[in-house]
Amino acid sequence: MRYSRDLRGYGETTPDPQWPGGARIAVQIVVNYEEGGENSIEHGDAASEAFLSEIIGAQPWPGKRHWNMESIYDYGARAGFWRLHRLLKDIPVTVYGVATALERSPEQVAAMKSAGWEIATHGLKWIDYKDIPREVEADHIAQAIALHTAVTGERPRGFYQGRTSMNTVALGCEEGGFEYLADTIADDLPYWHVHNGRPQLMVPYTMDANDMRFSSGQGFGTGVEFFDYLRDSFDVLYAEGQAGAPKMMSVGLHCRLAGRPGRAMAIQRFLDHCRAHEGVWFASRLDIARHWAEVHPWQPRQRPSEMDRDSFVQKFGGIYEHSPWIAERVWDGEMGAVHDSAAGLAARMAQVFRSASDEERLGVLNAHPDLAGKLAQAKRLTADSTAEQASAGLDSLTDEERATFTRLNDAYVAKHGFPFIIAVRDHDKAGIMRAMQARIDNDTPTERAEAERQVARIGELRLKEALK
């Protein structure tokens, strides 16, 4: 089974985004423009809107117009938008524009363009696509692009559906004209997603630094709470940037929510807080996408989880000495992006080894050669074992050293029933000798456990070399 989700991401060490001017943080503000694109029987929908409004717990009204709901959305277009526009017109904002909402708001679109804001597509209508057939959603995306282009004068370069289906990201990739997709909240940095062999840049969005939480039961109650959250998010990310790991911070706003007077002040305070710091890059999502594509272009690399079985076993079958069955079982099990790193693949191979029968694990131990033994002298070690023993100087022993190793090897096997095993790349020749002399006196269960730990460690070191 191939697991589609990537739970590893960039891992412990994130790439340096090299933001313009050496910025320590990229701040990206989104204004969602949905007013006029929401569910309404006047828009041809079956019921009224029930999502992201002041009416907590609102339900759709089938076949009826919901006057309060409509007027809340109307406020976003009539008043909220202009308040946000006054606050943000000098900042590179990205608009998530629902195509039918943009069509119904020509003056607002003109103001967006006059401010130089990027207008990305937020789909054709502000509806939930979870149960919409794939072909219908694909048609809606195509209609959204066409309408967006006709209304704004150019096609959108970014896409955020928002209320997604399981097909949304794949359809965005397959459309082929988007410089980025934003239907992800998986990271603090852009990343490349591969669909059907084609890379697609993802610029993550946010659900937490987002005024939508004013409309949920567990969320912001006042503008002060919103500002506190934005400020704290900024401060943590800014500190990470100062420490050498810059990130991006997304802020999500809605005209009918943050555009209210009691909340707009939080945006002003947040902007003042950002501007009080050096090294802050305000950017649109398209700015960030283009920067990332230039500085961190897609680089194809070997991915073990995507190899066919024969190729995988051929490459990794020798990681555990003369025991290709471990690689076979790894490939036959669940694999995903977390196994495309040396650490991830080593952990899975160790898991398979530890889950094997006692007889199988003992067979792996006995497959290991004696250190500096007869196989080494006869040059019959595997390539990995040859390189490992050479790295510790075991290929250039004096006669006295060789005699000592032979004596200790024989005594160890006679007592424990398997060869002495140690990850030689972790030690020099003297350290290996001391370990042999110390471990030979262990009881066999203790030594068996230690030998198995060393086998897993050898596998990890070999994978680090194999996946450089």
Side-chain angles (χ1 to χ4, degrees):
M1 172 185 168
R2 291 301 170 265
Y3 190 67
S4 64
R5 291 163 58 191
D6 182 353
L7 302 181
R8 177 174 180 265
Y10 291 118
E12 182 179 5
T13 304
T14 56
D16 182 356
Q18 301 175 47
W19 298 136
R24 296 161 190 165
I25 186 172
V27 175
Q28 203 296 294
I29 297 176
V30 167
V31 172
N32 290 268
Y33 197 84
E34 299 153 355
E35 289 76 11
E38 78 278 8
N39 278 290
S40 168
I41 63 170
E42 195 170 19
H43 300 161
D45 301 304
S48 63
E49 186 56 70
F51 193 52
L52 289 189
S53 78
E54 305 295 338
I55 307 172
I56 305 297
Q59 297 296 315
W61 289 9
K64 298 178 181 179
R65 295 178 64 182
H66 192 314
W67 188 259
N68 283 348
M69 182 64 70
E70 288 184 12
S71 60
I72 286 171
Y73 272 76
D74 291 350
Y75 182 92
R78 293 162 56 112
F81 170 82
W82 296 109
R83 183 166 290 115
L84 293 181
H85 182 264
R86 288 191 293 273
L87 285 173
L88 301 169
K89 63 183 178 182
D90 297 324
I91 293 176
V93 164
T94 291
V95 175
Y96 285 164
V98 174
T100 49
L102 295 177
E103 182 184 31
R104 295 185 172 107
S105 302
E107 293 183 35
Q108 292 90 333
V109 170
M112 297 171 194
K113 295 174 65 177
S114 177
W117 291 355
E118 176 208 357
I119 309 177
T121 184
H122 198 359
L124 180 65
K125 303 178 70 173
W126 179 225
I127 62 175
D128 191 345
Y129 280 90
K130 68 181 178 67
D131 296 321
I132 301 295
R134 192 183 200 277
E135 62 275 12
V136 174
E137 186 176 4
D139 180 61
H140 280 199
I141 293 171
Q143 289 186 56
I145 295 169
L147 182 55
H148 185 110
T149 303
V151 169
T152 70
E154 56 183 323
R155 72 152 285 154
R157 309 310 304 183
F159 172 43
Y160 177 70
Q161 189 80 285
R163 298 162 79 175
T164 61
S165 74
M166 61 181 290
N167 302 307
T168 299
V169 170
L171 291 171
C173 293
E174 291 165 14
E175 196 281 330
F178 294 117
E179 295 188 44
Y180 71 87
L181 305 182
D183 280 302
T184 173
I185 50 176
D187 214 298
D188 297 311
L189 288 172
Y191 62 91
W192 292 98
H193 168 74
V194 179
H195 175 70
N196 291 340
R198 178 182 179 272
Q200 173 67 63
L201 186 61
M202 309 294 290
V203 180
Y205 188 43
T206 177
M207 295 295 182
D208 62 310
N210 192 312
D211 67 0
M212 66 178 288
R213 293 182 59 203
F214 281 113
S215 66
S216 64
Q218 180 186 9
F220 305 123
T222 68
V224 173
E225 291 177 357
F226 189 32
F227 166 68
D228 285 348
Y229 192 85
L230 295 181
R231 180 201 58 212
D232 290 350
S233 299
F234 175 91
D235 288 350
V236 168
L237 294 174
Y238 188 83
E240 290 180 6
Q242 287 182 306
K247 306 294 194 309
M248 63 174 284
M249 177 181 175
S250 293
V251 178
L253 306 177
H254 297 75
C255 301
R256 64 193 175 279
L257 297 176
R260 291 281 176 175
R263 296 164 185 158
M265 183 57 73
I267 309 305
Q268 183 61 66
R269 288 172 177 161
F270 175 67
L271 295 176
D272 292 343
H273 184 73
C274 294
R275 289 166 173 151
H277 293 72
E278 295 182 353
V280 178
W281 181 41
F282 288 99
S284 71
R285 301 181 82 75
L286 188 57
D287 293 333
I288 290 171
R290 288 176 173 171
H291 174 83
W292 196 269
E294 179 180 352
V295 176
H296 294 287
W298 166 250
Q299 298 288 344
R301 64 182 179 88
Q302 181 185 59
R303 295 178 180 270
S305 66
E306 296 177 358
M307 297 172 70
D308 63 70
R309 193 176 194 271
D310 289 345
S311 298
F312 182 86
V313 174
Q314 181 177 1
K315 184 169 182 66
F316 300 111
I319 295 297
Y320 280 62
E321 197 80 8
H322 297 294
S323 302
W325 59 268
I326 292 179
E328 293 168 352
R329 291 183 191 178
V330 168
W331 194 95
D332 291 341
E334 180 182 285
M335 287 190 72
V338 294
H339 305 116
D340 290 336
S341 69
L345 187 54
R348 176 49 59 88
M349 296 190 89
Q351 177 186 348
V352 169
F353 170 64
R354 296 183 193 115
S355 301
S357 68
D358 183 80
E359 181 181 1
E360 288 172 321
R361 298 197 313 277
L362 184 60
V364 174
L365 301 188
N366 281 316
H368 279 260
D370 289 337
L371 292 181
K374 293 179 180 179
L375 287 177
Q377 289 180 272
K379 300 186 183 301
R380 292 175 55 197
L381 298 177
T382 65
D384 285 328
S385 290
T386 298
E388 289 159 1
Q389 295 202 18
S391 72
L394 299 184
D395 60 340
S396 57
L397 300 174
T398 65
D399 290 342
E400 181 180 354
E401 289 171 334
R402 182 170 289 105
T404 301
F405 268 108
T406 299
R407 174 177 58 81
L408 291 171
N409 276 327
D410 290 344
Y412 184 96
V413 174
K415 179 174 182 180
H416 299 300
F418 48 84
F420 175 80
I421 301 172
I422 193 169
V424 296
R425 291 190 186 275
D426 289 336
H427 305 274
D428 59 14
K429 182 166 54 178
I432 293 169
M433 184 78 74
R434 288 193 299 271
M436 289 186 75
Q437 292 169 332
R439 285 171 51 186
I440 198 170
D441 293 329
N442 286 339
D443 62 82
T444 295
T446 298
E447 194 52 29
R448 171 73 180 271
E450 180 60 29
E452 292 189 4
R453 280 193 291 270
Q454 293 296 324
V455 164
R457 175 61 178 163
I458 291 168
E460 180 181 5
L461 292 170
R462 289 179 175 180
L463 282 167
K464 286 181 178 178
E465 288 295 314
L467 291 174
K468 276 185 175 178

